[in-house]
Amino acid sequence: MIEFEFRVDKSENMHTHLDIELFYVMEGRVDFIVEDQTFLLESEDFLMVNSGRRHAYEGSQETLAACFHISYDELSKLLKQNLILFWCNSTAEEGELYEEVRELIKKIISQHYYHAGEDMIYLYSLYYELLHMLQNNFLLTEEDSRYKGELHKFDDRKQKIAEYIRQNYDKPIALSDLAKDLYLSTAYLSKYIKKQFGMSFLEYVNSVRLGYAISELLHSDKPVVRIAMDTGFANSASFNKAFKEKYHTTPSVYRRQWKNDQESAIKAPRIQNIQKKQVDAYFERHKNYPAGQVYVQDITLENTEGEPYRHHWQMMINGGTAADLLRSDLQEHLCLLHRRLKIRYVRFWDLYSREMLLDHCLPSGLYNFSRLDLILDFLLEHGMKPYIELGMKPKKLLKSRQSVLIGGGDSDGIFADENRVREFMSALMHHLVERYGGSEIENWYFELWQKELESNFFHKEVPDSEALIRKYFSTFDLVAGVLREILPGVRLGSGGFSLRHGKERFREMIHIWHEFLQKPDFMTFYSYSYPAEMETADKIRSQSMDKDFLKNFLKDIRELMDAEGYIGLPVHVTEWNFTVSNRNVFNDSCQKGAYVMKNIIDTIGMADVLGYWCASDIFAEYYDTGDFLFGGSGLLTKDGICKPAYYAMEFMDRIGQRIYQRGENYLITGDDKDEWYVVCHNYKHFNFQYGLRQEDEIHVAEQSQLIVDGRKLRLKFSFPLPFGAGKYSGQEDVPVEIKIYAVNSRTASIQDRWLRAGFPRFLHPEDMAYFKSASVPAIRVRSHRVLEDRITFETILEPNEIQWIRVKVGQYYQGFQTGQKTT
């Protein structure tokens, strides 16, 4: 199925073959050419070359590469597909999927070098794991736009030639017969094949025949003569000649050597003398290549200074539209989130809906602010502050990026007339100042959204796109001028920018803003994990493969703002999530909890406000939400049960006030002289197949098939004694209590409990009470002894599990706490 070899050649001429090739650079730099494209591959870069693609490479003097040839014929039989196309190129995109393949390649290379001829079952398993990973994440289907792009590169004529030869390799094939079949002259076809395949017609035919012959040679007892005849060679002499040109030995010697060494078709050939010196030198420099099991992390804490940080995720959460906040059940949910998670601000929008009775068309002085007052009174009475969207941002409810349940409505209204804007905003601000006082309102946040920014401005094909953004800035000037004239200390921010249409378009936009008088007190952004590109209405974009999407988004935003002179201007992410869908089963899952924790940890210090989308599934209720769970993006179900995403925020709330260390999967904090706090996760990002699915059509039971892998993570910690525990220094028996709260598929996952119960649609009150009481984190507590002034312990996390850990010096665990589940 797979052949492997080390490559030390500095270059390889343009050629083609039936096999699919995976080329991995171990050391050096390589200009790799596929058809008319050139890719620069550096250390640990790799790409796949589809069957029949012309390719070549030119490398640096010290180039060392690993080359895998995957049998197209065997893979075609295995997948039951006639046309197989991959898109896998680490120079064109990155993400956890590529890192997973990279680590697996390292394992295979290490096995070939250190254990040649040993444990062949393990080597087979690694190869099939690699094939599974490639098929699951990089095999193109007809639904993907890249499939058509790859298919286009392999033009119809070239495809017909390849298929004709594959179907007739075991028969006599004449160039004239093929030319007649394609309605071409023999001379033209000969030149065409030489140009497109990089070899003559006979050479290409023989390369296909040899691909089939090698399998027969190694896996059957047929005589060499019979193999030659069965694979289309005229006689054994022509077979021997073609075989020797490719494998540098005769078929009989190759078979005998293979059987004597008890090697297999996927076993790497012996390292040639010319390769050995360079390969040995490489492995001498990488003695631990690869580093054991990929998912083991040794974490040694040495920093005992720590630094304070901002709890940016507790600043604000999205409550819903203004009308939603009039509902008593949603108010209960917001109170719970404020009380338990310390959420300070609640964002709401759509002030001008029919339910709010706030008719902006009435003459000044006749506006009815009573329902807005009900919302503001509720928030303030319960210790929360309002984050008010002043624009005409309507309610929009999505099943998927292409399917809208509630579609917005008019979003021009008041902002189509400057006089109406001035009158209304003046009346609103005067009312608020009179009712709540200027000093109170200066603690609120106001935001101004406009439709043009959300959908139109960034489209290059939209006429007068610059005029649209200038219209927004002009409106911002007007609104900011009115508000600041009445209350100079009011805080007004821009309205929901993004990078989904590219960094340069965003930079062009904020550059224009310098021409206007009024500037924002902060900039607001939306971040949903979709690739940045130009959109059209019928464009289907896959989920971003970047597991660090939010962190990279904020990094880009800050760099662009600084470059345009907005240095130090606060950044508010007013909406963030991996999906815009409120019918996505992953919203209810443990994966969402791990996603939330990961992104909060990753973005500490990068944003002033991180407003999660959204607080409760109540926002997403509609005619189709009769089920107990329906994939809403809330932290709480519509019945008020906490989801794993909620517990991620609760765990983050229970950490210390100073950061001591953080890594890809953990954060270590503290604020007490005798305690350390750790939060950790085993987040698994989506695989390529997820991006090809409609988000609202994924079934709960399919989720494990749509993430990168299902492996556990073992974290091994080593801490010094905290400052306050110095009195124990030097003792052999220092009392330590380690308490771990865990959220995984067995505990605290309401979705998994619902799944195990058989997906009951309607629940009686006692059933609801059971689910609520059962869906809480597991707790385990153990005593520990300190050795050599270090606290060492380890924990294991299943895929998408999250944990909160407290390490307390000076006490042993005495008994169970009531009301908690213990494992």
Side-chain angles (χ1 to χ4, degrees), residues 731-747:
Q731 293 187 21
E732 294 182 359
D733 186 14
V734 178
V736 177
E737 177 191 89
I738 298 175
K739 180 183 292 185
I740 301 177
Y741 283 83
V743 173
N744 53 46
S745 61
R746 299 182 305 280
T747 65

Side-chain angles (χ1 to χ4, degrees), residues 348 372-380 386 388 432 436 444:
F348 60 94
L372 176 61
D373 291 340
L374 288 174
I375 297 170
L376 299 175
D377 292 347
F378 156 72
L379 293 175
L380 296 174
I388 306 174
L432 295 178
Y436 300 102
W444 301 359

Side-chain angles (χ1 to χ4, degrees), residues 677-696:
Y677 297 95
V678 181
V679 283
C680 50
H681 63 85
N682 186 16
Y683 173 67
K684 300 297 183 182
H685 196 55
F686 301 106
N687 63 24
F688 179 72
Q689 297 299 321
Y690 173 87
L692 300 178
R693 301 290 301 274
Q694 292 290 338
E695 295 171 278
D696 60 313

Side-chain angles (χ1 to χ4, degrees), residues 196-245:
Q196 294 296 323
F197 291 91
M199 61 182 75
S200 69
F201 170 72
L202 181 58
E203 288 171 336
Y204 181 64
V205 171
N206 283 343
S207 71
V208 173
R209 286 171 171 167
L210 285 174
Y212 291 98
I214 192 73
S215 179
E216 291 288 318
L217 191 69
L218 300 181
H219 300 291
S220 76
D221 294 324
K222 291 182 182 179
V224 171
V225 174
R226 179 59 184 239
I227 292 173
M229 302 300 291
D230 286 349
T231 53
F233 288 96
N235 48 55
S236 59
S238 60
F239 176 45
N240 285 346
K241 180 181 177 182
F243 193 94
K244 195 168 184 178
E245 287 177 355

